[in-house]
Amino acid sequence: MASKVLYLMLAFVAAVSAAPNTRLVGGEHTTIEQFPYIVALVYYYPRPAIRVQRCVGSLISSWHVVTSGYCFTGAILDNMEIRAGSTNALSGGTVVRVGQVTKYPGYVEEPKSGDLAVIRLATALGISNTVNVLFLPPQNTFIPDGTSLTTVSWGFEYVGGPQLETLKTITQRKINIERCKAIYSGSTKVDISDRVICANEVGRSTCFGDSGAPMVIGQVLVGTASYHEGCGDDDHPDVFTRIDTYTNWIMQVATAPGRSGSEAKIAPVQF
């Protein structure tokens, strides 16, 4: 009987950790000192009283996190917390509560589009060597096809594998948007438009649990993980929300309590 209960518990953990979707396949392990802007969105499930790393986000100010709108599907905000400053998703660092969530007003869950949200933390984070911010790209920044793009996150290395707590990073290359549209033609799951970045690399992709994971060029946030077709599916590129098409909106909503100006900063993207 005890073994049956344990089996059911493990099955529950596997189920909740796989939703919402996307986690990293392939890549290398890294540390928070290399990517101090990343945070884990940790969700508490009252029954059976466990915490699971549900999604990923990027600090753009001491008050604000950019992530996926999908992360809040069916979520109770009081059950969510943000862990910053730790290589591990479920231990260490600093934990703060969610103060407010603003989803992009045009967000559509299926076919997925406008997959973006800004979290305002309940309390501001202090900047250190393990907690820092990413810059936003200027509105409508051009990123050439073939550009090398880095994504960092926590998660499974393969479908059905154990959930990892430590950070990993992968590098992919941006592919032509028209080619991406052709690959996903007929899909009812995701809308491929000029407001997404499609990227791939053999043996490297997002998988279950990485929604909102940052895609960066240097210290600039250029994308957030939004959709994948299978884990490690080399025939289908990963789809990321293209941040530079939302920069103006992010700047409008990323304001600290009692202030009218944005706390986020814009920086040019260097190729």
Side-chain angles (χ1 to χ4, degrees), residues 44-262:
Y44 175 68
Y45 290 86
R47 299 169 65 183
I50 61 170
R51 283 177 167 79
V52 173
Q53 180 258 310
R54 179 182 176 95
C55 284
V56 184
S58 309
L59 283 167
I60 58 167
S61 82
S62 57
W63 283 100
H64 299 97
V65 172
V66 170
T67 188
S68 162
Y70 183 59
C71 294
F72 303 97
T73 299
I76 299 171
L77 291 188
D78 286 346
N79 291 353
M80 187 174 287
E81 59 190 20
I82 307 297
R83 185 179 300 278
S86 179
T87 299
N88 299 311
L90 298 176
S91 63
T94 301
V95 175
V96 295
R97 307 298 302 175
V98 174
Q100 177 181 311
V101 173
T102 305
K103 288 186 183 181
Y104 181 67
Y107 169 63
V108 176
E109 190 160 320
E110 192 170 306
K112 190 175 287 184
S113 64
D115 186 17
L116 198 66
V118 175
I119 300 171
R120 191 183 74 199
L121 304 176
T123 54
L125 288 165
I127 301 301
S128 69
N129 67 322
T130 57
V131 178
N132 213 323
V133 300
L134 278 172
F135 296 104
L136 298 175
Q139 185 77 16
N140 299 324
T141 298
F142 173 70
I143 301 175
D145 294 341
T147 299
S148 180
L149 304 164
T150 298
T151 301
V152 60
S153 187
W154 291 274
F156 300 164
E157 292 185 299
Y158 54 92
V159 176
Q163 182 178 4
L164 302 178
E165 287 194 27
T166 56
L167 279 174
K168 290 185 70 180
T169 180
I170 61 171
T171 300
Q172 299 171 301
R173 293 194 178 274
K174 180 179 180 288
I175 72 165
N176 180 269
I177 193 65
E178 296 304 322
R179 177 185 166 201
C180 191
K181 287 179 182 178
I183 292 171
Y184 280 104
S185 62
S187 173
T188 61
K189 300 295 185 180
V190 62
D191 179 30
I192 305 299
S193 72
D194 292 340
R195 303 198 79 176
V196 303
I197 293 174
C198 295
N200 67 352
E201 192 70 41
V202 174
R204 301 188 174 204
S205 77
T206 55
C207 185
F208 296 103
D210 291 326
S211 286
M215 169 182 273
V216 301
I217 298 175
Q219 299 300 308
V220 180
L221 178 66
V222 298
T224 53
S226 179
Y227 182 81
H228 72 283
E229 185 79 22
C231 301
D233 183 344
D234 295 335
D235 295 327
H236 289 81
D238 292 337
V239 181
F240 296 77
T241 300
R242 182 180 156 188
I243 293 298
D244 67 276
T245 63
Y246 297 91
T247 295
N248 290 346
W249 175 76
I250 295 171
M251 296 292 289
Q252 289 172 1
V253 301
T255 57
R259 299 185 184 181
S260 58
S262 174

